[in-house]
Amino acid sequence: MVYLAVVFNFSVDGIKALFAKKEASEEESTELEEGNFEAVADVTVKTNDLDLTGTTVEEKKPIVKEEPEAEKKLELERTPPFERPVVVDAPTPDASPLLEDVQFDIEATKVEEETVSEDDGEGMGEYDPTLDLSHYKKPPLDLLEAYGKGEISVDQEELEGNKNRIVSTLKNYNIEIERIKATIGPTVTLYEIVPAPGIRISKIKNLEDDIALSLSALGIRIIAPIPGRGTIGIEVPNLNPDTVSMKAVLSSEKFQHSKMELPIALGKTISNETYVTDLTKMPHLLMAGATGQGKSVGLNAVIASILYKKHPAQVKFVLVDPKKVELTLFNKIERHFLAKLPDTDEAIITDTQKVVTTLNSLCLEMDNRYEMLKNAQCRNLKEYNAKFIARKLNPKEGHMFLPYIVLVVDEFADLIMTAGKEVETPIARLAQLARAIGIHLIIATQRPSVNIITGTIKANFPARIAFRVTSKIDSRTILDAGGADQLIGRGDMLMSTGNDVIRLQCAFIDTPEVEKVCDWIGSQQAYPSAFELPEFIDESSGEVGAVDLDDRDALFEDAARIVVQHQQGSASLLQRRLKLGYNRAGRIVDQLEAAGIIGPFEGSKARQVLITDEMSLEQKLQHKS
């Protein structure tokens, strides 16, 4: 809304002069009924945000409107300013109307201007990391088999019989209960009892073996009390256990509509609900159990869950298989989902010495990623990739889209026995630091003893899965609690996430199903090679031999400038910037060290760049030439 105010300043002498002038003008011209009035008027225009004052000057204008003698009224002419314009929002009438009939027409025009958002400033939109394999299709669920009936098969007679045996056994020891409730699962039924007031929980807990004897069943487990419920649980295996198929778990709504970064569908709970968790929240997973209890099937279920949910650009696997036969099926997806060292032929690592090199290479990748996150001012990989997708990070400054890396070790005990500290140290370092930059570990072992699963490793693996073990000591080693020795096997497992221990039936995926999934993925368009990890040179082979600087590489000077500009002396940097192979980049690194441009190899640390600026480098290059 615009407000307009007009103020006229008159004095007594001005009024007298006005009438005197009118009489003089009537004598001079009889054709005009009125003489023109000339005055200086102060016009003040006030708006909500504008205050302008303009002063009119004298100017004669012809009178357009004639009025009778009796209706003569005082008129005021507004003339344009002498030197500067008067800025008003309302148009000024051409003729001089009567003072009482002054009409102001105010027109407010709304101007709509097009705005350009920051994201569209360059007209490029968001970066899509999946465009390199834009035609990639995720495996269909038809490749998996539907095992089991998929429904509860426990009859009423079995439930009533177990209930009566539990109640009668407790009564034999003078333990009264108020009520009992049964929750039927695929392999185990949970009976929740509420004891009468005054009954001690420890008294029921000590009757574990007596209840198992009365029920004539193995795998009786008492939870006293169940956290958050105020009841005591007795888990009894079903006479006819059902098989949980991987197809049923992956086709569930909970998995299909999950928004997790790395969703893992492990199986079903006692209440027959699909259990889906996020690997990035764990952030590392330790699996242990006796031979033949389902560890390898559990690993295949974890890997299959990620393959069914993620694009090859979003996640990479580093597979370590000392047994050489468990993970060989995933060779077919090498150029899609696997990562390996630059100088290796096979992506699945079976040799112990290569395992040590790969783990140290992952430590280098971890350090490089933390440096990139520091430069981008991000706290974790999710924030970093979100910034890169929004094109807020410049690839010319070394930034790139970083996929998640999942390290899977199938038999950790064998590595500890053959390599010892060489394996344990990088594993512990990755477990402590690698969570924020998207490197997650899944370690499986069939020997859960304290010299294999040490305190350092356990402290950094809060998520643990225990399949059936042979002794209570092994159960306490894995879970810090008993119960794993009372499982019934065949995928029956306990999962600890720090506080709660959940009993699950692991989903079953057979070898032919894994082969079908790998064939489906391997038949599609792939990257030129597997994802390459940074180079790692052993300290024993880190010394540079005699290098002839007269026979320097043609790209030696370009490589020297890149190293000085980035203050980072690594072969992987030269590979990316100069598009070189690993062997040639390694030779150039040796020549740079011999020329005194970069320092010697320092284990897991990056090589030190000895020249700080480009001017010193040019002087050194001219001196060498």
Side-chain angles (χ1 to χ4, degrees):
M1 184 179 291
V2 179
Y3 299 96
L4 186 66
V6 181
V7 180
F8 302 101
N9 296 328
F10 292 102
S11 62
V12 177
D13 296 335
I15 296 295
K16 292 180 179 180
L18 171 67
F19 286 105
K21 200 161 187 177
K22 283 185 176 292
E23 292 176 359
S25 60
E26 285 179 358
E27 293 175 359
E28 293 175 358
S29 175
T30 57
E31 297 179 358
L32 298 176
E33 295 179 359
E34 291 182 348
N36 290 335
F37 175 74
E38 300 171 0
V40 177
D42 242 337
V43 181
T44 301
V45 181
K46 294 184 179 179
T47 64
N48 290 339
D49 300 319
L50 185 66
D51 189 356
L52 301 175
T53 303
T55 305
T56 59
V57 296
E58 295 181 0
E59 181 179 352
K60 292 183 179 181
K61 287 189 179 180
I63 298 301
V64 177
K65 183 178 179 181
E66 296 183 359
E67 296 188 8
E69 186 76 14
E71 295 180 0
K72 286 184 180 180
K73 295 182 180 179
L74 186 64
E75 293 183 4
L76 173 67
E77 280 192 357
R78 293 175 53 198
T79 59
F82 183 68
E83 291 184 353
R84 63 177 186 188
V86 177
V87 181
V88 294
D89 289 337
T92 305
D94 294 336
S96 299
L98 295 175
L99 187 60
E100 293 181 355
D101 296 335
V102 174
Q103 180 180 354
F104 294 93
D105 294 331
I106 300 173
E107 181 180 356
T109 305
K110 185 178 181 181
V111 180
E112 296 183 358
E113 297 182 356
E114 296 183 358
T115 59
V116 179
S117 63
E118 293 182 0
D119 293 339
D120 299 333
E122 299 179 359
M124 297 180 68
E126 291 187 344
Y127 171 78
D128 187 2
T130 64
L131 286 181
D132 291 337
L133 298 181
S134 57
H135 299 292
Y136 173 81
K137 294 182 179 179
K138 297 174 183 176
L141 292 172
D142 298 338
L143 300 176
L144 303 176
E145 299 291 336
Y147 299 99
K149 301 177 183 178
E151 58 184 14
I152 298 173
S153 59
V154 179
D155 57 7
Q156 189 67 25
E157 293 181 2
E158 181 182 347
L159 294 176
E160 287 290 338
N162 289 337
K163 183 205 73 167
N164 294 333
R165 291 188 189 98
I166 291 173
V167 173
S168 62
T169 304
L170 294 177
K171 279 187 177 180
N172 291 337
Y173 293 93
N174 299 322
I175 297 175
E176 298 290 336
I177 61 174
E178 292 185 347
R179 67 175 184 271
I180 186 168
K181 172 186 174 185
T183 304
I184 306 171
T187 58
V188 175
T189 299
L190 173 65
Y191 295 88
E192 294 184 57
I193 62 174
V194 178
I199 301 298
R200 299 178 62 180
I201 293 177
S202 60
K203 197 172 181 181
I204 301 176
K205 181 70 175 173
N206 294 333
L207 297 176
E208 198 165 23
D209 295 334
D210 298 289
I211 296 174
L213 178 63
S214 65
L215 294 175
S216 302
L218 296 174
I220 299 294
R221 178 170 168 263
I222 295 181
I223 312 169
I226 297 178
R229 294 193 187 179
T231 58
I232 296 174
I234 302 176
E235 294 175 346
V236 181
N238 299 334
L239 292 178
N240 299 311
D242 190 22
T243 302
V244 178
S245 66
M246 197 69 197
K247 183 176 182 179
V249 173
L250 295 183
S251 60
S252 64
E253 182 181 358
K254 197 170 185 180
F255 179 80
Q256 292 292 332
H257 297 156
S258 66
K259 301 298 182 182
M260 302 175 183
E261 292 295 314
L262 292 177
I264 296 175
L266 291 174
K268 291 192 175 182
T269 63
I270 288 181
S271 57
N272 214 32
E273 296 178 357
T274 302
Y275 186 82
V276 181
T277 185
D278 192 355
L279 180 60
T280 60
K281 303 295 183 185
M282 287 185 175
H284 310 295
L285 179 61
L286 177 64
M287 303 174 66
T291 304
Q293 302 303 319
K295 291 189 310 301
S296 296
V297 175
L299 283 178
N300 289 337
V302 169
I303 297 174
S305 300
I306 299 176
L307 293 181
Y308 265 87
K309 199 68 177 176
K310 288 299 175 181
H311 189 274
Q314 298 171 328
V315 63
K316 301 294 179 183
F317 291 95
V318 178
L319 302 181
V320 178
D321 184 16
K323 290 191 285 189
K324 302 183 180 180
V325 294
E326 296 292 345
L327 302 176
T328 51
L329 294 174
F330 297 100
N331 264 326
K332 300 173 183 177
I333 61 172
E334 173 182 339
R335 294 189 297 151
H336 293 85
F337 281 101
L338 300 190
K340 66 176 185 178
L341 292 173
D343 56 344
T344 55
D345 297 329
E346 295 183 358
I348 298 177
I349 306 152
T350 57
D351 183 43
T352 304
Q353 190 55 41
K354 288 186 177 179
V355 172
V356 176
T357 306
T358 303
L359 293 176
N360 286 290
S361 176
L362 282 174
C363 291
L364 289 179
E365 175 73 12
M366 177 183 69
D367 295 336
N368 294 339
R369 288 190 173 199
Y370 267 121
E371 190 68 26
M372 297 168 72
L373 261 66
K374 183 187 77 172
N375 296 335
Q377 298 180 352
C378 299
R379 297 182 64 245
N380 53 51
L381 186 74
K382 187 176 181 180
E383 295 178 5
Y384 178 87
N385 283 338
K387 270 191 175 183
F388 189 85
I389 289 175
R391 299 188 185 275
K392 296 180 180 179
L393 301 176
N394 190 354
K396 295 181 180 180
E397 297 176 358
H399 294 292
M400 66 183 72
F401 182 84
L402 299 177
Y404 286 97
I405 297 178
V406 180
L407 171 65
V408 181
V409 181
D410 187 32
E411 188 45 69
F412 185 62
D414 183 68
L415 297 180
I416 292 293
M417 290 176 63
T418 54
K421 290 291 184 181
E422 290 183 273
V423 169
E424 184 181 352
T425 301
I427 285 283
R429 188 162 183 262
L430 288 171
Q432 289 170 353
L433 301 174
R435 174 189 59 83
I437 43 86
I439 299 178
H440 303 281
L441 280 61
I442 301 175
I443 293 178
T445 181
Q446 64 182 7
R447 207 177 106 193
S449 56
V450 291
N451 59 337
I452 303 298
I453 304 176
T454 61
T456 306
I457 292 177
K458 284 178 61 177
N460 295 286
F461 283 79
R464 305 170 199 166
I465 291 178
F467 292 89
R468 188 175 182 227
V469 295
T470 55
S471 66
K472 293 183 182 292
I473 297 175
D474 291 342
S475 176
R476 292 192 181 96
T477 303
I478 307 168
L479 301 174
D480 294 327
D485 57 311
Q486 297 166 332
L487 300 176
I488 59 176
R490 297 179 58 84
D492 191 17
M493 64 183 189
L494 294 175
M495 180 170 181
S496 170
T497 56
N499 297 324
D500 299 335
V501 177
I502 306 169
R503 189 166 185 173
L504 302 173
Q505 177 62 38
C506 182
F508 178 70
I509 178 170
D510 205 1
T511 302
E513 298 173 73
V514 178
E515 192 172 0
K516 288 179 184 178
V517 172
C518 293
D519 287 338
W520 171 273
I521 297 174
S523 63
Q524 302 186 55
Q525 180 187 0
Y527 294 104
S529 62
F531 183 82
E532 290 190 351
L533 299 173
E535 63 161 337
F536 176 80
I537 304 174
D538 242 346
E539 293 183 0
S540 57
S541 60
E543 297 178 0
V544 180
V547 177
D548 187 9
L549 292 179
D550 295 331
D551 188 21
R552 293 186 302 188
D553 193 280
L555 296 175
F556 174 81
E557 295 186 1
D558 294 336
R561 294 187 181 95
I562 290 174
V563 167
V564 173
Q565 286 174 2
H566 293 82
Q567 289 294 301
Q568 179 184 349
S570 66
S572 58
L573 175 66
L574 300 182
Q575 283 181 267
R576 294 195 305 268
R577 293 296 179 182
L578 300 177
K579 299 180 181 179
L580 302 177
Y582 172 76
N583 295 330
R584 187 178 180 185
R587 286 195 299 270
I588 294 178
V589 167
D590 293 342
Q591 294 172 4
L592 291 173
E593 181 181 349
I597 297 175
I598 62 176
F601 180 76
E602 299 181 6
S604 62
K605 295 182 180 179
R607 291 176 182 259
Q608 182 182 3
V609 181
L610 304 178
I611 298 177
T612 57
D613 54 28
E614 296 185 21
M615 185 175 295
S616 302
L617 174 65
E618 295 299 333
Q619 293 176 357
K620 192 175 187 67
L621 292 177
Q622 291 176 3
H623 178 70
K624 291 290 182 184
S625 61

